[in-house]
């Protein structure tokens, strides 16, 4: 790891050796890169030399963590855009994803070199390395900081590892029928969700050590990513079929109605998705080089962010919902300030269309989304017009009185 004279946690670190400091200067400081009259201010973080694979806000949104195919991970200051720490010389191949254990001040990196590394954020040393076999496609840390889950293309497996020691606890082979693209702990650290090129979604329970839920999605192409709401009730999946789907994994309503589809957000394969902490906003990134911001109450896209010149590979949103981060194959991370996006004309028009009378509900019978006038009582109108028409038959009408012949 290469260090700068700024500690991401205390900001009072002294300068290390000048030789190491010169190395980190290669990770350049970002500048605002938008026109004077731009509606969305943008900072661009430059320094990685290959595609960036993941990005995360951390340390109360004051830092951004990234990983890259250039075999490094980096910690950036969101205010200055400076690269504070660069984690390097720990992997022999691309880093597919990284995750942070804030309480333990540790960084986890998963790589195509078949290893997981745990790094100490203060000393920069690798605490442990876990050889897992197969190209590692994803990793996630449990909310309590005890476990790391990773996915491998060898035997389409997921592996549960101790975050403290790197000891393998469970290895579940043939968990999917094809390559696992993403694995995620739920916020309660009780389940691991995984999605795959086989278009299925699975939940693996840590207590029973069994797969407790398996969903054959209606996605028509590879499922590339998944994310939970903070309460663990909803799981969102992103797919190469250009759509996202919402799944109520706690009540299981999808068993009769399927997932709720969010479409018309991207013109290309959707690569990534993430919820805001209050689940009011969903952010997605795609291979069409755009980032979409969704209003989850209205279930519609309110904002499209353009600027990357290659695939968007990952997205993140700050806890206060003022910033969106997007990672790209173009080797940059863009920080979008959406704090005042509600004042943008196109967003105002979208809000106006919603406010002029329509709310989006989910039909209790077929599970599809439908709109009703805001003046209508949603407690009374629970089905879409097609399901209502289907049940409103002529048999409900009283027969006409018989004519008297007298």
């Amino acid at each position: 790891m290469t260090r700068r004279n700024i500690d991401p946690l205390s900001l009072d670190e002294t300068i290390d050796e000048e030789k190491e400091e010169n190395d980190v200067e290669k990770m350049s400081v970002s500048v605002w890169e938008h026109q004077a009259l731009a509606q969305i201010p943008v900072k661009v973080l430059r320094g990685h030399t290959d595609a960036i694979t993941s990005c995360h806000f951390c340390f109360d949104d004051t830092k951004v963590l990234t990983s890259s195919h250039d075999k490094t991970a980096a910690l950036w200051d969101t205010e200055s855009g400076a690269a504070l720490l660069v984690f390097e010389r720990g992997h022999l191949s691309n880093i597919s994803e990284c995750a942070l254990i804030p309480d333990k001040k540790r960084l986890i990196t998963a790589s195509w070199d078949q290893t997981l590394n745990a790094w100490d954020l203060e000393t920069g040393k690798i605490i442990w390395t876990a050889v897992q076999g197969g190209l590692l496609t994803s990793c996630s840390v449990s909310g309590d900081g005890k476990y790391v889950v990773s996915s491998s293309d060898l035997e389409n497996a997921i592996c549960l590892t101790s975050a403290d020691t790197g000891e393998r606890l469970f290895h579940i082979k043939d968990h999917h029928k094809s390559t696992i693209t993403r694995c995620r702990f739920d916020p309660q650290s009780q389940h691991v969700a995984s999605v795959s090129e086989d278009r299925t979604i699975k939940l693996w329970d840590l207590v029973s050590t069994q797969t407790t839920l398996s969903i054959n999605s209606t996605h028509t192409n590879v499922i590339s990513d998944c994310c939970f709401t903070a309460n663990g009730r909803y799981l969102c999946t992103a797919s190469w079929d250009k759509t996202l789907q919402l799944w109520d994994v706690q009540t299981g309503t999808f068993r009769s109605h399927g997932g709720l589809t969010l479409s018309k957000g991207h013109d290309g394969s959707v690569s990534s998705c993430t919820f805001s902490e209050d689940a009011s906003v969903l952010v997605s990134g795609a291979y069409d080089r755009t980032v979409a911001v969704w209003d989850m109450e209205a279930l519609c896209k309110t904002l499209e962010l353009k600027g990357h010149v290659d695939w968007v590979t990952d997205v993140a949103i700050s806890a206060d919902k003022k910033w969106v981060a997007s990672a790209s194959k173009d080797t940059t991370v863009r920080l979008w300030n959406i704090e005042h996006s509600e004042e943008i004309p196109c967003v105002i028009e979208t809000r106006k269309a919603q406010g002029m009378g329509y709310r989006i509900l989910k039909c209790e019978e077929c599970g599809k989304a439908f709109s009703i006038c805001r003046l209508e009582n949603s407690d009374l109108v629970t089905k879409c017009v097609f399901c209502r028409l289907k049940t409103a038959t002529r048999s409900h009408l009283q027969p006409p009185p018989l004519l008297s012949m007298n």
Side-chain angles (χ1 to χ4, degrees):
M1 183 197 75
T2 307
R3 305 190 61 169
R4 193 179 171 86
N5 63 320
I6 304 176
D7 189 288
L9 308 179
S10 64
L11 299 180
D12 60 359
E13 188 69 42
T14 58
I15 299 177
D16 285 339
E17 295 182 12
E18 184 176 351
K19 178 182 177 181
E20 292 186 341
E21 184 179 353
N22 290 338
D23 288 339
V24 83
E25 292 299 333
K26 296 175 183 177
M27 305 292 280
S28 59
V29 175
S30 76
V31 294
W32 291 101
E33 296 195 15
H34 57 271
Q35 300 298 322
L37 299 178
Q39 296 174 326
I40 301 292
V42 181
K43 284 183 180 180
V44 181
L45 309 184
R46 301 181 187 277
H48 282 296
T49 59
D50 206 339
I52 300 176
T53 53
S54 64
C55 62
H56 311 278
F57 283 102
C58 53
F59 299 117
D60 298 322
D61 299 333
T62 62
K63 309 292 179 291
V64 173
L65 182 67
T66 60
S67 62
S68 170
H69 280 180
D70 65 12
K71 309 174 190 176
T72 72
L75 192 67
W76 309 76
D77 181 74
T78 53
E79 180 65 26
S80 67
L84 305 178
L85 303 174
V86 180
F87 300 83
E88 56 188 359
R89 295 187 288 274
H91 288 289
L92 301 175
S93 189
N94 303 350
I95 297 178
S96 55
E97 192 168 12
C98 63
L100 195 68
I101 312 178
D103 294 341
K104 298 181 181 179
K105 300 178 183 178
R106 291 184 182 180
L107 167 69
I108 304 295
T109 52
S111 173
W112 289 6
D113 66 8
Q114 307 183 20
T115 66
L116 276 179
N117 279 348
W119 306 75
D120 187 306
L121 281 178
E122 294 184 326
T123 67
K125 294 181 179 179
I126 295 177
I127 302 169
W128 52 256
T129 295
V131 179
Q132 303 208 326
L135 181 153
L136 300 188
T137 58
S138 180
C139 69
S140 177
V141 173
S142 60
D144 56 18
K146 294 181 179 179
Y147 308 109
V148 178
V149 66
S150 56
S151 55
S152 168
D153 72 338
L154 182 66
E155 300 178 318
N156 304 319
I158 60 172
C159 185
L160 191 69
T161 302
S162 166
D164 287 332
T165 65
E167 176 188 0
R168 176 183 292 189
L169 303 176
F170 290 97
H171 180 78
I172 304 96
K173 66 178 183 178
D174 300 320
H175 192 51
H176 285 268
K177 294 180 180 178
S178 189
T179 300
I180 298 171
T181 53
R182 193 74 74 205
C183 55
R184 285 285 178 268
F185 274 102
D186 68 359
Q188 292 71 38
S189 303
Q190 296 175 347
H191 301 91
V192 172
S194 58
V195 294
S196 167
E197 291 183 0
D198 65 12
R199 309 176 195 175
T200 65
I201 306 159
K202 295 196 175 185
L203 258 62
W204 186 81
D205 185 83
L206 270 70
V207 176
S208 66
T209 66
Q210 299 290 326
T211 299
T212 54
L213 182 64
S214 184
I215 304 172
N216 292 316
S217 77
T218 52
H219 282 298
T220 58
N221 208 328
V222 171
I223 303 178
S224 54
D225 197 8
C226 64
C227 62
F228 280 100
T229 52
N231 61 7
R233 177 173 178 178
Y234 292 98
L235 182 75
C236 179
T237 53
S239 172
W240 289 3
D241 66 8
K242 306 179 185 180
T243 71
L244 300 109
Q245 291 188 2
L246 300 174
W247 308 86
D248 187 336
V249 294
Q250 288 187 356
T251 65
T253 53
F254 61 84
R255 290 187 174 91
S256 56
H257 305 321
L260 180 62
T261 299
L262 301 179
S263 58
K264 299 180 180 179
H266 293 283
D267 293 327
S269 300
V270 185
S271 62
S272 47
C273 58
T274 189
F275 283 108
S276 61
E277 286 191 2
D278 63 2
S280 65
V281 175
L282 176 71
V283 180
S284 58
Y287 292 167
D288 61 7
R289 310 176 185 180
T290 69
V291 176
V293 179
W294 303 78
D295 181 327
M296 294 312 294
E297 180 181 358
L299 294 176
C300 69
K301 183 177 75 171
T302 57
L303 190 62
E304 184 175 83
L305 305 174
K306 296 181 178 180
H308 284 293
V309 295
D310 211 327
W311 297 350
V312 175
T313 54
D314 198 17
V315 290
I317 184 169
S318 61
D320 59 11
K321 298 184 290 186
K322 293 180 180 180
W323 292 89
V324 167
S326 56
S328 173
K329 190 180 176 184
D330 67 13
T331 75
T332 70
V333 172
R334 298 177 75 90
L335 301 180
W336 313 81
N337 187 334
I338 63 170
E339 182 177 3
H340 301 294
S341 61
E342 296 293 327
E343 302 169 10
I344 297 175
C346 66
V347 176
I348 292 174
E349 289 302 313
T350 300
R351 296 294 186 205
K352 191 179 295 184
Q354 297 167 13
M356 284 177 65
Y358 297 99
R359 284 184 293 168
I360 306 297
L361 300 177
K362 185 175 181 179
C363 177
E364 68 175 17
E365 183 171 326
C366 69
K368 295 181 179 179
F370 70 98
S371 61
I372 66 168
C373 176
R374 288 188 179 272
L375 299 179
E376 291 188 74
N377 189 339
S378 60
D379 292 331
L380 300 177
V381 183
T382 60
K383 299 180 181 180
C384 68
V385 63
F386 301 104
C387 290
R388 279 181 278 164
L389 287 173
K390 189 166 59 178
T391 56
T393 63
R394 291 180 178 271
S395 60
H396 294 151
L397 302 177
Q398 293 295 323
L402 295 175
L403 296 176
S404 173
M405 302 299 294
N406 295 327

